Amino acid sequence: MAERPEDLNLPNAVITRIIKEALPDGVNVSKEARRAISQAASVFVLYATSCANNFAMKAKRKTLNAGDVLAAMEEMEFERFLEPLREALEVYKKGQKGKKEVSEQKRKDKEKKLDTENDKSRDEEEEEEERMEEEPDAENEAEEEEVEN
Amino acid sequence: MKMSQNNSDKDSHASGNKNISLPISRVRLIMKSSPDVSSINQDALFLTTKATELFVQYLALSSFNNGSGKDTNTLSYSDLANAAEETETFHFLTDILPKKILARDYLKSLEQMQEEEADI
């Protein structure tokens, strides 16, 4: 959890670097403008999170996934980000997979030495489905009202 | 929570991943500050971080291109406030990027409004 309000800011040095790289060489960005962009970026994260969360909730999922974030971009009319995001995600996943395979291989080698039995099914993720319980109070109230009328 | 944060930091270092420069752990903190969010998977976290970088680039560049400082090679606050007001995709920023006006001008417009009301 965020303990101080500064925790919700993004690091200024990184934001400044990203701005510099986006603009033509030699553009002077005022301190006030840099601060404003940094705040805008935090608000963007919150806005995107809230949009993505709506999609997850509609699908009765508790965990935000990549599809939710992409759907959020579309809803926010940042379609221009979709292509670069998909490409970046693919590269990222390849990197993750490569790492996973390497460590997986190491683990297996180790286990082979120690033990010949191996359980492959442990990687499977369990998806948990939870249904929201309907509020009984609301229903009762509605019924009562009907009776009165 | 702390442990998983350390993990993701290590991850981005270990892979020499130059895909993103913003810290994933910080983005996660901001996302988690939203009360309805319970959990976020790794891909969603990565995408949001990347999207935020694209957003910073896009906001800076389009504010500069449509701004008043193109000749003097400067990007100022008013260029951003203008972008928030004039570009539809940036409308959600109008609350945190209000246009600045001089107190003198504000008083003048207040007076004008009162006169108009009086006319009616």
Coordinates of all heavy atoms in Angstrom, one line a residue, chain A residues 7-82:
Chain A
D7 N 4.5 8.4 -3.0 CA 4.6 7.0 -3.5 C 3.8 6.8 -4.8 O 4.0 5.9 -5.5 CB 4.2 6.0 -2.5 CG 5.2 5.9 -1.3 OD1 6.3 6.3 -1.5 OD2 4.8 5.3 -0.3
L8 N 2.9 7.7 -5.0 CA 2.0 7.6 -6.2 C 2.6 8.4 -7.3 O 2.0 8.6 -8.4 CB 0.6 8.0 -5.9 CG -0.1 7.2 -4.8 CD1 -1.5 7.6 -4.6 CD2 0.0 5.7 -5.2
N9 N 3.8 9.0 -7.2 CA 4.4 9.7 -8.3 C 5.4 8.8 -9.0 O 5.9 7.8 -8.4 CB 5.3 10.9 -7.8 CG 4.4 12.0 -7.2 OD1 3.2 12.0 -7.5 ND2 5.0 12.8 -6.4
L10 N 5.6 9.0 -10.3 CA 6.5 8.3 -11.0 C 7.9 9.0 -10.9 O 7.9 10.2 -10.7 CB 6.1 8.1 -12.4 CG 4.8 7.2 -12.6 CD1 4.1 7.5 -13.9 CD2 5.2 5.8 -12.4
P11 N 9.0 8.3 -11.0 CA 10.3 8.9 -10.8 C 10.6 10.0 -11.8 O 10.5 9.7 -13.0 CB 11.3 7.8 -10.9 CG 10.6 6.6 -11.5 CD 9.1 6.8 -11.1
N12 N 10.9 11.2 -11.3 CA 11.1 12.3 -12.2 C 12.2 12.1 -13.2 O 12.0 12.6 -14.4 CB 11.4 13.6 -11.4 CG 10.1 14.1 -10.8 OD1 9.1 14.1 -11.4 ND2 10.2 14.6 -9.6
A13 N 13.3 11.5 -12.8 CA 14.4 11.3 -13.7 C 14.0 10.5 -14.9 O 14.3 10.9 -16.1 CB 15.5 10.7 -13.0
V14 N 13.2 9.5 -14.7 CA 12.8 8.6 -15.8 C 11.8 9.3 -16.7 O 11.9 9.2 -17.9 CB 12.2 7.3 -15.2 CG1 11.9 6.3 -16.4 CG2 13.1 6.6 -14.3
I15 N 10.9 10.0 -16.1 CA 9.9 10.8 -16.9 C 10.6 11.8 -17.7 O 10.3 11.9 -18.9 CB 8.8 11.5 -15.9 CG1 8.0 10.4 -15.2 CG2 8.0 12.4 -16.7 CD1 6.9 9.8 -16.0
T16 N 11.5 12.5 -17.2 CA 12.3 13.5 -17.9 C 13.0 12.9 -19.1 O 13.0 13.4 -20.2 CB 13.3 14.2 -17.0 OG1 12.6 14.8 -15.9 CG2 14.0 15.3 -17.7
R17 N 13.6 11.7 -18.9 CA 14.3 11.0 -20.0 C 13.3 10.6 -21.1 O 13.6 10.8 -22.3 CB 15.0 9.8 -19.4 CG 15.8 9.1 -20.5 CD 16.9 8.2 -19.9 NE 16.6 7.7 -18.6 CZ 16.3 6.4 -18.4 NH1 16.1 5.6 -19.4 NH2 16.1 6.0 -17.2
I18 N 12.2 10.1 -20.7 CA 11.2 9.7 -21.7 C 10.7 10.9 -22.5 O 10.6 10.9 -23.8 CB 10.0 9.0 -21.1 CG1 10.5 7.7 -20.4 CG2 9.0 8.6 -22.1 CD1 9.4 7.0 -19.6
I19 N 10.5 12.0 -21.9 CA 10.1 13.3 -22.6 C 11.1 13.7 -23.5 O 10.9 14.0 -24.7 CB 9.8 14.4 -21.5 CG1 8.6 14.0 -20.6 CG2 9.4 15.7 -22.3 CD1 8.5 15.0 -19.4
K20 N 12.4 13.7 -23.1 CA 13.5 14.2 -23.9 C 13.6 13.3 -25.2 O 13.9 13.8 -26.2 CB 14.8 14.1 -23.1 CG 15.0 15.3 -22.1 CD 16.0 16.3 -22.7 CE 15.6 17.7 -22.3 NZ 16.3 18.3 -21.2
E21 N 13.4 12.0 -25.0 CA 13.6 11.1 -26.1 C 12.4 11.3 -27.1 O 12.6 11.0 -28.3 CB 13.6 9.7 -25.6 CG 15.0 9.3 -25.0 CD 15.0 8.0 -24.3 OE1 13.9 7.3 -24.3 OE2 16.0 7.6 -23.7
A22 N 11.3 11.7 -26.6 CA 10.1 11.9 -27.5 C 10.2 13.1 -28.3 O 9.7 13.2 -29.5 CB 8.8 11.9 -26.7
L23 N 10.8 14.2 -27.8 CA 10.8 15.5 -28.4 C 12.1 15.6 -29.3 O 13.1 14.9 -29.1 CB 10.8 16.6 -27.4 CG 9.6 16.7 -26.5 CD1 9.7 17.8 -25.4 CD2 8.4 17.0 -27.4
P24 N 12.0 16.6 -30.3 CA 13.2 16.8 -31.1 C 14.4 17.3 -30.2 O 14.1 17.8 -29.1 CB 12.7 17.9 -32.0 CG 11.3 18.0 -32.0 CD 10.8 17.3 -30.7
D25 N 15.6 17.2 -30.7 CA 16.7 17.6 -29.9 C 16.7 19.0 -29.6 O 16.3 19.9 -30.4 CB 18.0 17.3 -30.7 CG 18.4 15.8 -30.6 OD1 17.9 15.1 -29.7 OD2 19.2 15.4 -31.4
G26 N 17.1 19.4 -28.4 CA 17.3 20.7 -28.0 C 16.0 21.5 -27.5 O 16.1 22.7 -27.2
V27 N 14.9 20.7 -27.4 CA 13.7 21.4 -26.8 C 13.9 21.5 -25.3 O 14.2 20.6 -24.6 CB 12.5 20.6 -27.2 CG1 11.2 21.2 -26.5 CG2 12.3 20.5 -28.7
N28 N 13.5 22.7 -24.9 CA 13.6 23.0 -23.5 C 12.3 22.8 -22.8 O 11.3 23.4 -23.2 CB 14.1 24.5 -23.3 CG 14.5 24.8 -21.9 OD1 14.6 23.9 -21.1 ND2 14.8 26.0 -21.6
V29 N 12.2 21.9 -21.8 CA 10.9 21.6 -21.2 C 10.9 22.2 -19.8 O 11.8 21.9 -19.0 CB 10.7 20.0 -21.0 CG1 9.4 19.7 -20.4 CG2 10.9 19.4 -22.4
S30 N 10.0 23.1 -19.5 CA 10.0 23.8 -18.3 C 9.7 22.9 -17.1 O 9.1 21.8 -17.3 CB 8.9 24.9 -18.3 OG 7.7 24.4 -18.1
K31 N 10.2 23.2 -15.9 CA 10.0 22.4 -14.8 C 8.6 22.1 -14.5 O 8.2 21.0 -14.1 CB 10.7 23.1 -13.6 CG 11.1 22.2 -12.5 CD 11.8 22.9 -11.3 CE 11.9 22.0 -10.1 NZ 12.4 22.8 -8.9
E32 N 7.8 23.2 -14.6 CA 6.3 23.0 -14.4 C 5.7 22.0 -15.4 O 4.8 21.2 -15.0 CB 5.7 24.4 -14.6 CG 4.5 24.7 -13.7 CD 3.9 26.0 -14.0 OE1 4.4 26.7 -14.9 OE2 2.9 26.4 -13.3
A33 N 6.2 22.1 -16.6 CA 5.6 21.2 -17.7 C 6.0 19.7 -17.3 O 5.2 18.8 -17.5 CB 6.2 21.6 -19.0
R34 N 7.2 19.6 -16.9 CA 7.7 18.2 -16.5 C 6.8 17.7 -15.4 O 6.4 16.5 -15.4 CB 9.2 18.2 -16.1 CG 10.1 18.0 -17.3 CD 11.5 17.9 -16.8 NE 12.0 19.3 -16.6 CZ 13.0 19.6 -15.8 NH1 13.5 18.7 -15.0 NH2 13.4 20.8 -15.7
R35 N 6.6 18.5 -14.4 CA 5.8 18.1 -13.2 C 4.4 17.7 -13.7 O 3.8 16.7 -13.3 CB 5.8 19.2 -12.2 CG 6.2 18.7 -10.8 CD 5.8 19.7 -9.7 NE 4.3 19.9 -9.7 CZ 3.7 20.8 -8.9 NH1 4.5 21.6 -8.2 NH2 2.4 20.9 -8.9
A36 N 3.8 18.5 -14.6 CA 2.5 18.3 -15.1 C 2.4 17.0 -15.8 O 1.4 16.2 -15.7 CB 2.1 19.5 -15.9
I37 N 3.4 16.7 -16.7 CA 3.4 15.4 -17.4 C 3.5 14.3 -16.5 O 2.8 13.2 -16.7 CB 4.5 15.4 -18.5 CG1 4.3 16.5 -19.5 CG2 4.6 14.0 -19.1 CD1 5.4 16.6 -20.6
S38 N 4.3 14.4 -15.5 CA 4.5 13.3 -14.5 C 3.1 13.0 -13.8 O 2.7 11.9 -13.6 CB 5.6 13.7 -13.5 OG 5.7 12.6 -12.6
Q39 N 2.5 14.1 -13.4 CA 1.2 13.9 -12.7 C 0.1 13.3 -13.7 O -0.6 12.4 -13.3 CB 0.6 15.3 -12.2 CG 1.4 15.7 -11.0 CD 1.0 17.1 -10.5 OE1 0.4 17.9 -11.3 NE2 1.3 17.5 -9.3
A40 N 0.2 13.8 -14.9 CA -0.7 13.3 -15.9 C -0.5 11.8 -16.1 O -1.4 11.0 -16.3 CB -0.5 14.0 -17.3
A41 N 0.8 11.3 -16.0 CA 1.1 9.9 -16.2 C 0.5 9.1 -15.1 O -0.1 8.0 -15.3 CB 2.6 9.7 -16.3
S42 N 0.5 9.6 -13.8 CA -0.1 8.9 -12.7 C -1.6 8.8 -12.9 O -2.2 7.7 -12.6 CB 0.2 9.6 -11.4 OG 1.6 9.4 -11.1
V43 N -2.2 9.9 -13.3 CA -3.6 9.8 -13.6 C -4.0 8.9 -14.7 O -5.0 8.1 -14.6 CB -4.1 11.3 -13.9 CG1 -5.6 11.2 -14.3 CG2 -4.0 12.2 -12.7
F44 N -3.1 8.8 -15.7 CA -3.3 7.9 -16.8 C -3.3 6.4 -16.3 O -4.2 5.6 -16.6 CB -2.2 8.0 -17.8 CG -2.2 7.0 -18.9 CD1 -3.0 7.2 -20.0 CD2 -1.4 5.9 -18.9 CE1 -3.1 6.2 -21.0 CE2 -1.4 4.9 -19.9 CZ -2.3 5.1 -21.0
V45 N -2.4 6.1 -15.4 CA -2.3 4.8 -14.8 C -3.6 4.4 -14.1 O -4.2 3.4 -14.3 CB -1.1 4.6 -13.8 CG1 -1.2 3.2 -13.1 CG2 0.2 4.8 -14.6
L46 N -4.1 5.4 -13.3 CA -5.4 5.2 -12.5 C -6.6 5.0 -13.4 O -7.4 4.1 -13.2 CB -5.6 6.3 -11.6 CG -4.7 6.4 -10.4 CD1 -4.8 7.7 -9.6 CD2 -4.9 5.2 -9.4
Y47 N -6.6 5.9 -14.5 CA -7.7 5.8 -15.4 C -7.7 4.5 -16.2 O -8.7 3.8 -16.3 CB -7.6 7.0 -16.4 CG -8.7 7.2 -17.4 CD1 -10.0 6.7 -17.2 CD2 -8.4 7.8 -18.6 CE1 -10.9 6.9 -18.2 CE2 -9.3 8.0 -19.6 CZ -10.6 7.6 -19.4 OH -11.6 7.7 -20.3
A48 N -6.5 4.1 -16.6 CA -6.4 2.8 -17.4 C -6.8 1.6 -16.4 O -7.4 0.7 -16.8 CB -5.0 2.6 -17.9
T49 N -6.3 1.7 -15.2 CA -6.6 0.6 -14.2 C -8.1 0.5 -14.0 O -8.7 -0.6 -14.0 CB -5.9 0.9 -12.9 OG1 -4.5 1.1 -13.1 CG2 -6.1 -0.3 -11.9
S50 N -8.8 1.6 -13.9 CA -10.2 1.6 -13.6 C -11.0 1.1 -14.8 O -11.9 0.3 -14.6 CB -10.6 3.0 -13.1 OG -11.8 3.3 -13.7
C51 N -10.5 1.5 -16.0 CA -11.2 0.9 -17.2 C -11.0 -0.6 -17.3 O -11.9 -1.4 -17.6 CB -10.6 1.6 -18.5 SG -11.3 3.2 -18.8
A52 N -9.7 -1.0 -17.1 CA -9.4 -2.4 -17.3 C -10.1 -3.2 -16.2 O -10.6 -4.3 -16.5 CB -7.9 -2.6 -17.1
N53 N -10.2 -2.7 -15.0 CA -10.9 -3.4 -13.9 C -12.4 -3.6 -14.3 O -13.0 -4.6 -13.9 CB -10.8 -2.6 -12.6 CG -11.0 -3.4 -11.4 OD1 -10.5 -4.5 -11.3 ND2 -11.9 -2.9 -10.5
N54 N -13.0 -2.6 -14.9 CA -14.4 -2.8 -15.4 C -14.5 -4.0 -16.3 O -15.5 -4.7 -16.2 CB -14.9 -1.5 -16.1 CG -15.2 -0.4 -15.1 OD1 -15.4 -0.7 -14.0 ND2 -15.3 0.8 -15.6
F55 N -13.6 -4.1 -17.2 CA -13.7 -5.3 -18.1 C -13.5 -6.6 -17.3 O -14.2 -7.6 -17.6 CB -12.6 -5.2 -19.2 CG -13.0 -4.1 -20.2 CD1 -12.3 -2.9 -20.3 CD2 -14.0 -4.4 -21.2 CE1 -12.6 -2.0 -21.3 CE2 -14.3 -3.5 -22.1 CZ -13.6 -2.2 -22.2
A56 N -12.6 -6.6 -16.4 CA -12.4 -7.8 -15.6 C -13.7 -8.1 -14.8 O -14.1 -9.3 -14.7 CB -11.2 -7.6 -14.7
M57 N -14.3 -7.1 -14.2 CA -15.5 -7.3 -13.4 C -16.6 -7.8 -14.2 O -17.4 -8.7 -13.8 CB -15.8 -6.0 -12.7 CG -15.2 -5.9 -11.3 SD -15.2 -4.4 -10.4 CE -16.7 -3.6 -10.8
K58 N -16.8 -7.3 -15.4 CA -17.8 -7.7 -16.3 C -17.7 -9.2 -16.6 O -18.6 -9.9 -16.8 CB -17.7 -7.0 -17.7 CG -18.8 -5.8 -17.8 CD -18.7 -5.2 -19.1 CE -18.7 -3.7 -19.1 NZ -18.2 -3.1 -20.3
A59 N -16.4 -9.7 -16.7 CA -16.1 -11.1 -17.0 C -16.1 -11.9 -15.7 O -15.7 -13.1 -15.8 CB -14.9 -11.2 -17.8
K60 N -16.4 -11.3 -14.6 CA -16.4 -12.0 -13.3 C -15.0 -12.5 -12.9 O -14.9 -13.6 -12.4 CB -17.4 -13.1 -13.2 CG -18.8 -12.6 -13.6 CD -19.9 -13.3 -12.8 CE -21.1 -12.5 -12.8 NZ -22.3 -13.2 -12.9
R61 N -14.0 -11.8 -13.3 CA -12.6 -12.2 -13.0 C -12.1 -11.2 -11.9 O -12.5 -10.0 -11.9 CB -11.7 -12.1 -14.2 CG -11.8 -13.4 -15.0 CD -10.8 -13.4 -16.2 NE -11.3 -12.5 -17.2 CZ -10.8 -11.3 -17.4 NH1 -9.9 -10.7 -16.6 NH2 -11.3 -10.5 -18.4
K62 N -11.3 -11.7 -11.0 CA -10.7 -10.9 -10.0 C -9.3 -10.3 -10.4 O -8.8 -9.4 -9.7 CB -10.6 -11.7 -8.7 CG -11.9 -11.8 -8.0 CD -11.7 -12.1 -6.5 CE -12.9 -11.5 -5.7 NZ -12.6 -11.7 -4.3
T63 N -8.7 -11.0 -11.3 CA -7.4 -10.6 -11.7 C -7.3 -9.9 -13.1 O -7.9 -10.4 -14.0 CB -6.5 -11.8 -11.8 OG1 -6.5 -12.5 -10.5 CG2 -5.0 -11.4 -12.1
L64 N -6.7 -8.7 -13.1 CA -6.6 -8.0 -14.4 C -5.6 -8.7 -15.2 O -4.5 -9.1 -14.8 CB -6.0 -6.6 -14.1 CG -6.9 -5.6 -13.3 CD1 -6.3 -4.2 -13.5 CD2 -8.3 -5.6 -13.7
N65 N -6.0 -8.9 -16.5 CA -5.1 -9.5 -17.4 C -4.7 -8.6 -18.6 O -5.3 -7.5 -18.7 CB -5.6 -10.9 -17.9 CG -6.8 -10.8 -18.7 OD1 -7.1 -9.8 -19.3 ND2 -7.6 -11.8 -18.6
A66 N -3.9 -9.1 -19.5 CA -3.4 -8.3 -20.6 C -4.6 -7.8 -21.5 O -4.6 -6.7 -22.0 CB -2.4 -9.1 -21.5
G67 N -5.6 -8.7 -21.7 CA -6.7 -8.3 -22.6 C -7.5 -7.2 -22.0 O -8.0 -6.3 -22.7
D68 N -7.6 -7.1 -20.7 CA -8.3 -6.0 -20.0 C -7.6 -4.7 -20.3 O -8.3 -3.7 -20.5 CB -8.4 -6.3 -18.5 CG -9.2 -7.5 -18.1 OD1 -10.1 -7.8 -18.9 OD2 -8.9 -8.2 -17.1
V69 N -6.3 -4.7 -20.2 CA -5.5 -3.5 -20.4 C -5.7 -3.0 -21.8 O -5.9 -1.8 -22.1 CB -4.0 -3.7 -20.0 CG1 -3.3 -2.4 -20.3 CG2 -3.9 -4.1 -18.5
L70 N -5.6 -4.0 -22.8 CA -5.7 -3.6 -24.2 C -7.2 -3.1 -24.5 O -7.3 -2.1 -25.2 CB -5.4 -4.8 -25.1 CG -4.0 -5.2 -25.1 CD1 -3.8 -6.5 -25.8 CD2 -3.0 -4.2 -25.6
A71 N -8.1 -3.7 -23.9 CA -9.5 -3.2 -24.1 C -9.7 -1.8 -23.5 O -10.4 -1.0 -24.0 CB -10.5 -4.2 -23.4
A72 N -9.0 -1.6 -22.4 CA -9.1 -0.3 -21.7 C -8.5 0.8 -22.7 O -9.0 1.9 -22.8 CB -8.3 -0.3 -20.4
M73 N -7.4 0.5 -23.3 CA -6.7 1.4 -24.3 C -7.7 1.8 -25.4 O -7.8 3.0 -25.8 CB -5.5 0.8 -24.9 CG -4.3 0.7 -23.9 SD -3.9 2.2 -23.2 CE -4.0 1.8 -21.5
E74 N -8.4 0.8 -25.8 CA -9.4 1.1 -26.9 C -10.5 2.0 -26.4 O -10.9 2.9 -27.1 CB -10.0 -0.3 -27.4 CG -9.9 -0.4 -28.9 CD -10.3 -1.9 -29.3 OE1 -9.7 -2.8 -28.7 OE2 -11.2 -2.0 -30.1
E75 N -11.0 1.7 -25.2 CA -12.1 2.5 -24.6 C -11.6 3.9 -24.4 O -12.4 4.9 -24.6 CB -12.5 1.8 -23.3 CG -13.5 2.7 -22.6 CD -14.6 1.8 -22.0 OE1 -15.1 0.9 -22.7 OE2 -14.9 2.1 -20.8
M76 N -10.4 4.1 -24.0 CA -9.8 5.4 -23.8 C -9.4 6.1 -25.0 O -8.9 7.2 -25.0 CB -8.6 5.3 -22.8 CG -8.9 4.9 -21.4 SD -7.5 4.2 -20.6 CE -6.6 5.7 -20.2
E77 N -9.7 5.5 -26.2 CA -9.3 6.0 -27.5 C -7.8 6.2 -27.7 O -7.4 7.2 -28.3 CB -10.1 7.3 -27.8 CG -11.6 7.0 -28.0 CD -12.4 8.3 -28.2 OE1 -11.9 9.2 -28.9 OE2 -13.5 8.4 -27.7
F78 N -7.1 5.3 -27.1 CA -5.6 5.3 -27.4 C -5.3 4.0 -28.3 O -4.4 3.3 -28.0 CB -4.8 5.2 -26.1 CG -4.8 6.5 -25.4 CD1 -5.4 6.7 -24.1 CD2 -4.2 7.6 -25.9 CE1 -5.4 7.9 -23.5 CE2 -4.1 8.9 -25.3 CZ -4.8 9.0 -24.0
E79 N -6.1 3.9 -29.3 CA -5.9 2.8 -30.2 C -4.5 2.8 -30.8 O -4.0 1.7 -31.1 CB -6.9 2.8 -31.4 CG -8.3 2.5 -31.0 CD -9.1 3.8 -30.8 OE1 -8.4 4.9 -30.7 OE2 -10.3 3.8 -30.7
R80 N -4.0 3.9 -30.9 CA -2.6 4.0 -31.5 C -1.6 3.3 -30.7 O -0.5 2.9 -31.2 CB -2.2 5.5 -31.6 CG -2.2 6.2 -30.2 CD -1.6 7.6 -30.3 NE -2.5 8.4 -31.2 CZ -2.0 9.2 -32.2 NH1 -0.8 9.1 -32.5 NH2 -2.9 9.9 -32.9
F81 N -1.9 3.0 -29.4 CA -0.9 2.3 -28.6 C -1.0 0.8 -28.7 O -0.1 0.0 -28.3 CB -1.2 2.6 -27.1 CG -0.9 4.0 -26.7 CD1 -1.3 4.5 -25.5 CD2 -0.2 4.9 -27.5 CE1 -1.1 5.8 -25.1 CE2 0.0 6.2 -27.2 CZ -0.5 6.7 -26.0
L82 N -2.1 0.3 -29.3 CA -2.4 -1.1 -29.3 C -1.3 -1.9 -30.0 O -0.8 -2.9 -29.5 CB -3.7 -1.4 -30.0 CG -5.0 -1.0 -29.2 CD1 -6.3 -1.3 -30.0 CD2 -5.0 -1.7 -27.9

